[in-house]
Structures are given as C-alpha cells and as structure tokens.
Amino acid sequence: MCEKEHPIDEAIVPEVLEGMRLDQFAFASFPDKLASRNRSRKAANAGCIHVEGDQAESSRILRAGETVTLYAPPPPGYRRLFPIKLEVLYEDQQF
C-alpha cells in the first residue's frame, strides 16, 4: 500500500549484521521513523520496506550488501479511490 515513488530512507546491510531479520534491521536503521520493532514488522508486511527493490516479509533474513529502502506509508485515514461506473436508473426533475 506504500507508494514506491516516495522513498524516505535507505540503508545498506553491513557484513556484521548479515543474517539479521528485516524487521530488526529496519528498526535499528530507521529508529526515528519506525518507533518500535512491531511497527517495523507492520511496515514490512504492508509493503513499505523493500529489499533490493522488491517487497519483503518482516521475517526475511538479510545478506551483506543488500539495500533496504523505507517508503512513506499513506497518511492515516487514507483510502485509495477506484473509479466506479454507475448507471442512472431514475432521475428526478426537482434535483
């Protein structure tokens, strides 16, 4: 649900953190943007965290040198609108 056109941060996995779960790495790398590991997990599962340009589950194990990108989530209350074709069945002359 996150917009891929709006990356807000990026980090490269160092060798010492190879083998770490994505949610742990994201929380450690973006603590000012992800307030907890739980939020990190939810962001990953919502598609807001990508590894090497692809969406990844929060449990994904990272390898050294991979690029982790955090994308902006939609604002609270945001709903994506879809065009709907409606057929008028009755039209009142007073309206």
Side-chain angles (χ1 to χ4, degrees), residues 12-90:
I12 297 175
V13 180
E15 286 185 29
V16 295
L17 296 180
E18 184 170 14
M20 184 179 262
R21 287 173 49 112
L22 176 60
D23 56 349
Q24 293 172 328
F25 178 79
F27 175 60
S29 299
F30 316 121
D32 56 325
K33 296 172 182 76
L34 298 169
S36 67
R37 186 170 159 204
N38 187 41
R39 286 216 180 154
S40 172
R41 180 181 55 80
K42 287 180 180 179
N45 292 337
C48 296
I49 302 175
H50 291 212
V51 178
E52 295 296 318
D54 297 321
Q55 286 185 9
E57 292 294 320
S58 62
S59 60
R60 185 183 192 283
I61 303 300
L62 298 171
R63 291 178 288 189
E66 289 184 314
T67 303
V68 177
T69 307
L70 177 64
Y71 291 92
Y78 172 81
R79 294 183 190 263
R80 186 170 292 203
L81 301 177
F82 298 97
I84 301 174
K85 205 171 183 187
L86 298 174
E87 180 182 343
V88 178
L89 299 176
Y90 177 77

